[in-house]
Amino acid sequence: MVSSVKLFLGLTVLATLACSGYAIKCYQCDSLTSAKCGTKFEADDGLLLDCSRIAPPRYLQNFFPVRNATGCMRKVIDTVPDHPQVVRSCYFGDVSKTETGCQADPTLPFSKQLSCEVCTKDECNGSASLAPIAGAILLFFGLAHILA
């Protein structure tokens, strides 16, 4: 009886961690339409987006059969000379190989991408912090050790 309760508890925690791994929250904005989104970022809950609720941009959909965001992104693009635009959004693709997921939007042929930073923690595209899902992995193994 006790071992089945432990098994059920362990599976519940594992399922919760697996689901929360895909439900990353990122800031979604650009500095042209929101002054808070510029180089001097001002955090605002109104700019937060649950990335599990959106699909990849149309120009990336051929590259990614998995439709879940894998991180957050902060791009700086130059659409108007000497006025860089900051764009913050969900990131789709392999976070270790950003050349595909960070590619420029082909519908903006006259824009030049100056930088693209990717991170994997909730709300991380509001600052320069980067943090992997290592905490969830440690929690899982700690729970497994306790239940063993």
Side-chain angles (χ1 to χ4, degrees):
M1 175 76 175
V2 174
S3 64
S4 63
V5 171
K6 287 182 180 180
L7 177 63
F8 178 74
L9 178 62
L11 290 174
T12 302
V13 170
L14 181 60
T16 302
L17 290 175
C19 291
S20 66
Y22 287 110
I24 190 165
K25 292 181 182 178
C26 301
Y27 290 102
Q28 179 92 11
C29 61
D30 68 78
S31 59
L32 287 181
T33 59
S34 175
K36 293 179 178 183
C37 194
T39 307
K40 295 185 180 190
F41 182 72
E42 297 176 34
D44 182 355
D45 287 344
L47 301 175
L48 271 178
L49 176 71
D50 180 351
C51 293
S52 66
R53 297 179 181 264
I54 64 169
R58 183 168 282 160
Y59 63 93
L60 290 178
Q61 288 182 358
N62 292 335
F63 295 105
F64 306 114
V66 176
R67 301 289 185 222
N68 293 321
T70 54
C72 299
M73 175 172 57
R74 179 185 176 273
K75 278 187 185 182
V76 179
I77 57 175
D78 193 10
T79 52
V80 179
D82 300 323
H83 290 79
Q85 175 187 1
V86 178
V87 178
R88 300 170 197 275
S89 63
C90 302
Y91 178 81
F92 297 87
D94 186 349
V95 294
S96 64
K97 298 177 183 173
T98 59
E99 54 276 345
T100 302
C102 278
Q103 69 177 297
D105 185 345
T107 63
L108 301 172
F110 301 109
S111 68
K112 178 183 176 187
Q113 186 167 299
L114 303 176
S115 69
C116 181
E117 300 163 3
V118 176
C119 53
T120 57
K121 185 178 176 186
D122 282 345
E123 305 174 31
C124 63
N125 63 342
S127 66
S129 65
L130 297 174
I133 196 166
I137 294 169
L138 289 174
L139 178 65
F140 172 73
F141 284 116
L143 183 64
H145 180 55
I146 290 170
L147 295 177

